[in-house]
Structures are given as C-alpha cells and as structure tokens.
Amino acid sequence: MLGKDLFKVESKVDLSQKRYEALILFYNHLIGNDAHYLYEFLVLKGSSASFEELNKLLNSLGISIDSFEESISRLNEYRLVKTLKKKDEDSYVFVLNNPLTPEEFVKDDLFVRDFILKTSGLYYQSLIADLRFGSHHEGYDDVSARFDSSVLNDWTSDDESYLKPREKETYSFDTMFDINVFLKDISGTMFPLKYRTYENLSEIARLADLYNISYDRMRTYIPQVSKSDSSTFDLNLLRYLCQNAVADYREIGNDIYDVPCLLFLMNKQEGKEVTPYDKKLIYRLANDYKLKPAVINVLLEHSLRNCDNRLLENYIYPIASDLHRNNIETAKAALSRLEREATRGRIVEEDEKYDGSDNPLYDEERRKALMERRKNNGQ
C-alpha cells in the first residue's frame, strides 16, 4: 500500500456490551494495542461516503504506512476487518466486522488455542468470546491476510486440556475463614484463576483468621494484589493491607479462644486498637511457629496474665516453640500444657527451699568450748 492509494470504510459494526467486552478481554491479547486502536478508530469513523487517500487516515492516526499495514494485517487475521482490493486499481475497501461474542469465541478452534498460548490456560478459563461478519462485493477479490495456523505448532496435550469443561474446585483449609464462601462471590476478572494457588488461598484464609478480616473486605483487597498485568500475586502487599485494616470490634465471652486473634486481643485490652508491634508478633507466631489462632490466643492470654499485662517476645517465643514441638493444635491442649508446666514450676520452687531442721543446735556452752580450744592451740 501507498499513502496515495484510495480507501473507503464499510461498517455495520454494532458494539453491544458483550461484543465490546470480548474486544477488550480477548482480542486485545491477540492483535495488540496498535491494531486495537486502529479498529476502534475505524468503528468511530463509520462508513465512508466516497473514496479518500490513505494519507488522510494516516495523518489522523499519526502513524506510518508500515505501521498501518501491520495493524490492518492483524485485524485481517482475526477477522475484525476484511480488506478488499479493486482489480487493476490501487483502491481498497475495509469492511469492519463485529467482534466475537464471548459465547462464540470458544467455538473457533484456531482463535481459542492461539489465545491460550498468548495468555494462559487458566486465564482463558475465566473468559469467553466469538463473532463473524461477512459480505459479498462484486468486482472485488478478497485479499485479506489469512490466519497462519503454524502459530499453533507449539500446542500440546496439556494446552488442549484447558478446553475441556472444568469441574468446580473446592478447597479444604483448617481455618475459620471459609475460602469456598469467599470464592463464591468473586469473579475470575477480579481474582484470576492463575493466582488461586494453594499457597495464596491458604495465606488469604490465615490472614483473615489472624486479623479479623471479613469476606467483603478481603474481596476489596484481592484486585489490588492480583493485577492481570503482573506475573505474581503480591502477598506482601496483602499482609500490609490486612495488618493495617481498621478492625471491627465486638465483645466475646470469657474462655472463648476460637476467634480471630486480633478480636481476641482487643477483648483482652477492653476494645483498644492493637498496635503494629502486637500484630507482627501474632503473624510470626502463625508463620514461624505454625500455631493455630486458638493456640495463639491462649498464649497471648498466658503472657498478659504472667508478665504484668505485657506481650514479651523473650517470654512468648520459647513457649511457642514448645507448643509447636509438641504438636499442640487446640486451645484445650494448650491450656492443659501451660497449666502442667506451671504446676511443675511450683514443685521445683518448693523443693529448693532451705530446710535447717537437721542442723545441730549452737548454744552458749558449745561456743565457750570452741573458744577455749582455740586459746589452747595458740599457745
């Protein structure tokens, strides 16, 4: 193509909500930003009443003829634009086709496989799309660039498995925060499937148990730490958000330990906000010493009772190590072990008391005898 070549646009595109969603979520990964921008520009331009020079379009877009040809070829390959050339003349008709709807995209064997290779199988499973538009034009040959199926040479049986219907997964964590309830009302767009690993989900549940994070509040945090353009799930940011959340407070009864640690500690200090120092101590007890929330709560209460209402690391960590070493996993078992250790300590203390009942009596008569003996030895 040359800048002086003529063109016109024919558009019967109707960008419904579903089609536009497919354009953003699916096609952009396949055609790239430049071709995407060209397509939307031509849609807004609409059908041309007459032929114009390509230079006019290029100037409006601020791109070179080479960039235009590359973008139009990408649009050809994915059937968003059909390029028709007049026989023996340098004039073109660009016929704009509708994007594929989500329901139709999965039926196109080539596109869907190419999409998975360019993104990931897990990401594909959270989306859907497909559409086609065609027309007949007498006197024109279809010179559109064709999709090159060789791009699928790397397709494997593992990739093919992503096309099979996926059974709904359920997760089992020994936590108060039910991860299945949490996932029920969060979309694949907000929380992409590729980030739903065991490590990430278990950490979400643990943080909720430690810091009294509700399902709704946790759902607001996930999009901030699982951006689709990132290759990692930012667990450090999630911990920061949970540790700095304004805690919801409610009173709980005495001797109730199976509650979030932050809520338990707030009750022990009459509703006062928990400090950053204490929040980090709680996390370390869960992460480094592998203690469950109920056991942590027993240990917090034990330290407050025996250390003048203080949480002292030098006092808490040796006990935490003992609880971990002896596989203490319930509040009842923790209370029993701490009481047994306290009883043993009292017995040792009593044994060490000095008993002088068997010492010989030291009276005045014995003193005089000793003094007389010393006097005689000195002579």
Coordinates of all heavy atoms in Angstrom, one line a residue, residues 108-145:
D108 N -14.4 -21.2 17.9 CA -13.4 -21.1 16.9 C -12.1 -21.8 17.4 O -11.4 -21.3 18.2 CB -13.1 -19.6 16.7 CG -12.3 -19.3 15.4 OD1 -11.2 -19.9 15.3 OD2 -12.7 -18.6 14.6
D109 N -11.8 -22.9 16.8 CA -10.7 -23.8 17.2 C -9.4 -23.1 17.2 O -8.5 -23.3 18.0 CB -10.7 -25.1 16.4 CG -11.9 -25.9 16.7 OD1 -12.6 -25.8 17.8 OD2 -12.3 -26.8 15.8
L110 N -9.2 -22.3 16.1 CA -7.9 -21.7 16.0 C -7.7 -20.5 16.9 O -6.7 -20.4 17.6 CB -7.7 -21.2 14.5 CG -7.7 -22.2 13.4 CD1 -7.6 -21.6 12.1 CD2 -6.5 -23.2 13.6
F111 N -8.7 -19.6 17.0 CA -8.5 -18.4 17.8 C -8.4 -18.8 19.3 O -7.5 -18.2 20.0 CB -9.8 -17.5 17.7 CG -9.8 -16.8 16.4 CD1 -8.9 -17.0 15.4 CD2 -10.7 -15.8 16.1 CE1 -8.9 -16.3 14.2 CE2 -10.8 -15.1 15.0 CZ -9.9 -15.3 14.0
V112 N -9.2 -19.7 19.7 CA -9.1 -20.0 21.2 C -7.8 -20.6 21.6 O -7.3 -20.4 22.7 CB -10.3 -20.9 21.6 CG1 -10.1 -22.4 21.1 CG2 -10.5 -20.9 23.1
R113 N -7.2 -21.5 20.7 CA -5.9 -22.0 21.0 C -4.8 -21.0 21.0 O -3.9 -21.0 21.8 CB -5.7 -23.2 20.1 CG -6.5 -24.4 20.4 CD -6.5 -25.4 19.2 NE -7.1 -26.7 19.6 CZ -8.4 -26.9 19.7 NH1 -9.2 -25.9 19.4 NH2 -8.9 -28.1 20.1
D114 N -4.9 -20.1 20.0 CA -3.9 -19.0 19.9 C -4.0 -18.1 21.1 O -3.0 -17.7 21.7 CB -4.2 -18.2 18.6 CG -3.1 -17.2 18.4 OD1 -1.9 -17.4 18.7 OD2 -3.4 -16.1 17.8
F115 N -5.2 -17.9 21.6 CA -5.4 -17.0 22.8 C -4.8 -17.7 24.0 O -4.1 -17.0 24.8 CB -6.9 -16.9 23.0 CG -7.2 -16.0 24.2 CD1 -7.3 -14.6 24.1 CD2 -7.5 -16.5 25.5 CE1 -7.5 -13.8 25.2 CE2 -7.8 -15.8 26.6 CZ -7.8 -14.4 26.4
I116 N -5.0 -19.0 24.2 CA -4.4 -19.7 25.4 C -2.9 -19.6 25.3 O -2.2 -19.4 26.3 CB -4.9 -21.1 25.4 CG1 -6.4 -21.1 25.8 CG2 -4.1 -21.9 26.5 CD1 -7.0 -22.5 25.8
L117 N -2.3 -19.8 24.1 CA -0.8 -19.7 24.0 C -0.3 -18.3 24.3 O 0.8 -18.2 24.9 CB -0.4 -20.2 22.6 CG -0.6 -21.6 22.3 CD1 -0.1 -21.9 20.9 CD2 0.3 -22.5 23.3
K118 N -1.1 -17.3 24.0 CA -0.6 -15.9 24.2 C -0.8 -15.4 25.6 O -0.3 -14.5 26.0 CB -1.3 -15.0 23.2 CG -0.7 -15.1 21.8 CD -1.4 -14.0 20.9 CE -0.6 -13.9 19.5 NZ -0.7 -15.1 18.7
T119 N -1.8 -16.1 26.3 CA -2.0 -15.7 27.7 C -1.7 -16.9 28.6 O -0.6 -17.1 29.0 CB -3.5 -15.2 27.9 OG1 -4.4 -16.3 27.4 CG2 -3.8 -14.0 27.0
S120 N -2.7 -17.6 29.0 CA -2.5 -18.8 29.8 C -3.8 -19.6 29.8 O -4.9 -19.0 29.6 CB -2.1 -18.5 31.2 OG -3.2 -18.1 32.0
G121 N -3.7 -20.9 30.0 CA -4.9 -21.7 30.0 C -5.9 -21.3 31.2 O -7.1 -21.3 31.0
L122 N -5.3 -21.0 32.3 CA -6.1 -20.6 33.5 C -6.8 -19.3 33.2 O -8.0 -19.1 33.6 CB -5.3 -20.5 34.7 CG -4.7 -21.8 35.2 CD1 -3.8 -21.5 36.4 CD2 -5.8 -22.7 35.6
Y123 N -6.1 -18.3 32.6 CA -6.8 -17.0 32.2 C -7.9 -17.3 31.2 O -9.0 -16.7 31.4 CB -5.7 -16.1 31.7 CG -6.3 -14.7 31.3 CD1 -6.8 -13.9 32.3 CD2 -6.4 -14.3 30.0 CE1 -7.4 -12.6 32.0 CE2 -6.9 -13.0 29.7 CZ -7.4 -12.2 30.7 OH -8.0 -11.0 30.4
Y124 N -7.7 -18.1 30.2 CA -8.7 -18.4 29.3 C -10.0 -18.9 29.9 O -11.1 -18.6 29.5 CB -8.2 -19.4 28.2 CG -9.4 -20.1 27.5 CD1 -10.1 -19.4 26.5 CD2 -9.8 -21.4 27.8 CE1 -11.1 -20.0 25.8 CE2 -10.8 -22.0 27.1 CZ -11.5 -21.3 26.1 OH -12.6 -21.9 25.5
Q125 N -9.8 -19.8 30.9 CA -11.0 -20.4 31.5 C -11.9 -19.4 32.2 O -13.0 -19.7 32.6 CB -10.5 -21.5 32.5 CG -9.9 -22.7 31.8 CD -9.5 -23.8 32.7 OE1 -9.1 -23.6 33.8 NE2 -9.6 -25.1 32.3
S126 N -11.4 -18.2 32.5 CA -12.2 -17.2 33.1 C -12.9 -16.3 32.1 O -13.6 -15.3 32.5 CB -11.3 -16.3 34.1 OG -10.4 -15.6 33.3
L127 N -12.7 -16.5 30.8 CA -13.3 -15.7 29.8 C -14.0 -16.5 28.7 O -13.9 -17.7 28.6 CB -12.2 -14.8 29.2 CG -11.3 -14.0 30.1 CD1 -10.2 -13.4 29.4 CD2 -12.1 -12.9 30.8
I128 N -14.8 -15.8 27.8 CA -15.4 -16.4 26.7 C -15.6 -15.4 25.5 O -15.7 -14.2 25.8 CB -16.8 -16.9 27.0 CG1 -17.0 -17.2 28.5 CG2 -17.2 -18.1 26.2 CD1 -18.4 -17.5 29.0
A129 N -15.6 -15.9 24.2 CA -15.9 -14.9 23.1 C -16.0 -15.6 21.7 O -15.4 -16.6 21.6 CB -14.9 -13.8 23.1
D130 N -16.6 -14.9 20.7 CA -16.6 -15.3 19.3 C -17.6 -14.6 18.4 O -18.7 -14.4 18.9 CB -16.7 -16.8 19.1 CG -16.5 -17.2 17.7 OD1 -15.5 -16.7 17.1 OD2 -17.2 -18.0 17.2
L131 N -17.3 -14.1 17.2 CA -18.3 -13.5 16.3 C -17.7 -13.4 14.9 O -16.5 -13.3 14.7 CB -18.6 -12.1 16.7 CG -19.5 -11.2 15.9 CD1 -19.2 -11.1 14.5 CD2 -20.9 -11.2 16.2
R132 N -18.5 -13.4 13.9 CA -18.1 -13.3 12.5 C -19.1 -12.4 11.7 O -20.3 -12.4 11.9 CB -18.0 -14.6 11.8 CG -17.5 -14.7 10.4 CD -17.4 -16.1 9.9 NE -16.6 -16.9 10.8 CZ -16.4 -18.2 10.7 NH1 -17.0 -18.8 9.7 NH2 -15.7 -18.8 11.5
F133 N -18.5 -11.6 10.7 CA -19.4 -10.8 9.8 C -18.8 -10.9 8.4 O -17.6 -10.8 8.2 CB -19.4 -9.3 10.2 CG -20.2 -8.5 9.3 CD1 -21.6 -8.4 9.4 CD2 -19.5 -7.7 8.3 CE1 -22.3 -7.6 8.5 CE2 -20.2 -6.9 7.4 CZ -21.6 -6.9 7.5
G134 N -19.7 -11.1 7.5 CA -19.2 -11.2 6.1 C -20.1 -10.6 5.1 O -21.3 -10.3 5.4
S135 N -19.7 -10.4 3.9 CA -20.5 -9.7 2.8 C -19.9 -10.1 1.5 O -18.8 -10.5 1.4 CB -20.5 -8.2 3.1 OG -21.4 -7.6 2.1
H136 N -20.7 -9.9 0.4 CA -20.3 -10.2 -0.9 C -20.1 -8.8 -1.7 O -21.0 -8.0 -1.6 CB -21.3 -11.1 -1.7 CG -21.4 -12.4 -1.1 ND1 -20.4 -13.4 -1.2 CD2 -22.4 -12.9 -0.3 CE1 -20.8 -14.5 -0.5 NE2 -22.0 -14.2 0.0
H137 N -19.0 -8.7 -2.4 CA -18.8 -7.5 -3.2 C -18.4 -7.8 -4.6 O -17.3 -8.4 -4.8 CB -17.7 -6.6 -2.5 CG -18.1 -6.1 -1.2 ND1 -18.0 -6.9 0.0 CD2 -18.7 -5.0 -0.7 CE1 -18.4 -6.2 1.0 NE2 -18.8 -5.1 0.6
E138 N -19.2 -7.6 -5.6 CA -18.9 -7.9 -7.0 C -17.8 -7.0 -7.5 O -17.7 -5.8 -7.2 CB -20.1 -7.7 -7.9 CG -21.3 -8.7 -7.6 CD -22.4 -8.5 -8.5 OE1 -22.3 -7.7 -9.4 OE2 -23.4 -9.2 -8.3
G139 N -16.8 -7.6 -8.2 CA -15.7 -6.9 -8.8 C -14.5 -6.8 -7.9 O -13.5 -6.2 -8.2
Y140 N -14.6 -7.3 -6.6 CA -13.5 -7.3 -5.7 C -13.1 -8.7 -5.3 O -13.9 -9.6 -5.2 CB -13.9 -6.5 -4.4 CG -14.1 -5.0 -4.6 CD1 -15.3 -4.5 -5.0 CD2 -13.0 -4.2 -4.3 CE1 -15.4 -3.1 -5.1 CE2 -13.1 -2.8 -4.5 CZ -14.3 -2.3 -4.9 OH -14.4 -0.9 -5.0
D141 N -11.8 -8.8 -5.2 CA -11.2 -10.1 -4.7 C -10.9 -9.9 -3.2 O -10.5 -8.9 -2.8 CB -9.9 -10.5 -5.4 CG -10.2 -10.8 -6.9 OD1 -11.3 -11.3 -7.2 OD2 -9.3 -10.5 -7.8
D142 N -11.1 -11.0 -2.5 CA -10.7 -11.0 -1.1 C -9.2 -11.2 -0.9 O -8.7 -12.3 -1.2 CB -11.4 -12.1 -0.3 CG -11.3 -12.1 1.2 OD1 -10.4 -11.3 1.6 OD2 -12.0 -12.8 1.9
V143 N -8.5 -10.1 -0.6 CA -7.0 -10.1 -0.5 C -6.6 -10.0 1.0 O -5.5 -9.6 1.3 CB -6.4 -9.0 -1.3 CG1 -6.6 -9.3 -2.8 CG2 -6.9 -7.6 -0.9
S144 N -7.6 -10.3 1.9 CA -7.3 -10.2 3.3 C -6.1 -11.2 3.7 O -6.0 -12.3 3.2 CB -8.5 -10.5 4.2 OG -9.6 -9.7 3.8
A145 N -5.3 -10.7 4.6 CA -4.3 -11.6 5.2 C -5.0 -12.8 5.9 O -6.0 -12.6 6.6 CB -3.3 -10.9 6.1

